[in-house]
Amino acid sequence: IEEAYALTPNSWHENMRFIQNVIENTFASFLRIQLIFGLLTAITTFIILIILRVDFAIFASLLSGILTIIPLLGPFLALIPPVLAAFIVNPTIAMVVLILMLIIQQIEFNIIGPKLMSNAFKLHPIVVLLSFLIGLKVAGGMGAIFAVPVLGVLVIIFREFGHYFISSKKK
């Protein structure tokens, strides 16, 4: 970053600092949301496993929550620990755990997730969902992971520069 400042005129530094702050704040928000997903998954998994009297509920729930934090693949990986713990008790209970967790994941990632992302990035939930799908189509898994934060950065930058140019024309 320091090299970029050294290579650019001083008059650009304020705008560069603004862009740097927007990028840092946007990606920090993205990480916070991932942590919220992990915490929600750990709590709901623990409740399900305790209700169904599955051994190793704490360990399986914690591991499930940690795995959920991994973008894109995490939710699928998060199913493995609780289902395996339940399978040890009873294969039928394992199927119940799998079904309940899939239902909860659908609610978390298709209803709660877009609302959290839209609040964090000031984007409509449908825009969040569409950017995720476009990112997935254009650049695969990495595109899906970074589509929303990148869109959030771009929207904030364009919005702020738009305000700047509108206010400078009024003078």
Side-chain angles (χ1 to χ4, degrees):
I1 296 294
E2 295 302 320
E3 292 85 14
Y5 284 109
L7 293 173
T8 57
N10 287 340
S11 61
W12 292 14
H13 290 188
E14 183 179 343
N15 290 337
M16 289 175 62
R17 274 190 287 283
F18 167 74
I19 292 170
Q20 179 183 357
N21 286 335
V22 167
I23 291 169
E24 288 172 359
N25 291 335
T26 302
F27 278 91
S29 294
F30 179 73
L31 291 176
R32 275 192 297 275
I33 291 168
Q34 291 303 112
L35 290 172
I36 290 169
F37 284 149
L39 184 62
L40 281 173
T41 299
I43 291 168
T44 55
T45 302
F46 180 73
I47 291 169
I48 290 169
L49 295 180
I50 288 297
I51 290 171
L52 295 174
R53 300 189 196 298
V54 174
D55 295 332
F56 309 109
I58 292 174
F59 177 73
S61 300
L62 286 174
L63 191 54
S64 184
I66 291 168
L67 290 170
T68 300
I69 294 171
I70 301 168
L72 206 59
L73 289 177
F76 300 110
L77 297 174
L79 295 171
I80 296 170
V83 171
L84 282 178
F87 191 79
I88 293 169
V89 173
N90 182 334
T92 305
I93 291 177
M95 287 303 296
V96 171
V97 168
L98 178 64
I99 291 167
L100 289 173
M101 292 211 38
L102 285 171
I103 291 169
I104 289 169
Q105 280 188 356
Q106 292 305 308
I107 293 168
E108 275 183 22
F109 295 107
N110 293 320
I111 297 172
I112 297 171
K115 287 186 185 216
L116 284 174
M117 296 264 188
S118 71
N119 288 341
F121 302 122
K122 308 293 187 257
L123 300 170
H124 193 277
I126 292 175
V127 173
V128 170
L129 196 55
L130 287 174
S131 68
F132 175 80
L133 294 173
I134 291 169
L136 182 65
K137 183 73 174 172
V138 171
M142 293 305 286
I145 291 170
F146 292 110
V148 177
V150 168
L151 181 63
V153 166
L154 293 173
V155 166
I156 292 169
I157 289 170
F158 283 122
R159 186 182 304 144
E160 290 302 316
F161 280 125
H163 292 310
Y164 171 78
F165 287 118
I166 289 171
S167 66
S168 67
K169 286 188 179 190
K170 287 181 180 179
K171 293 179 182 180

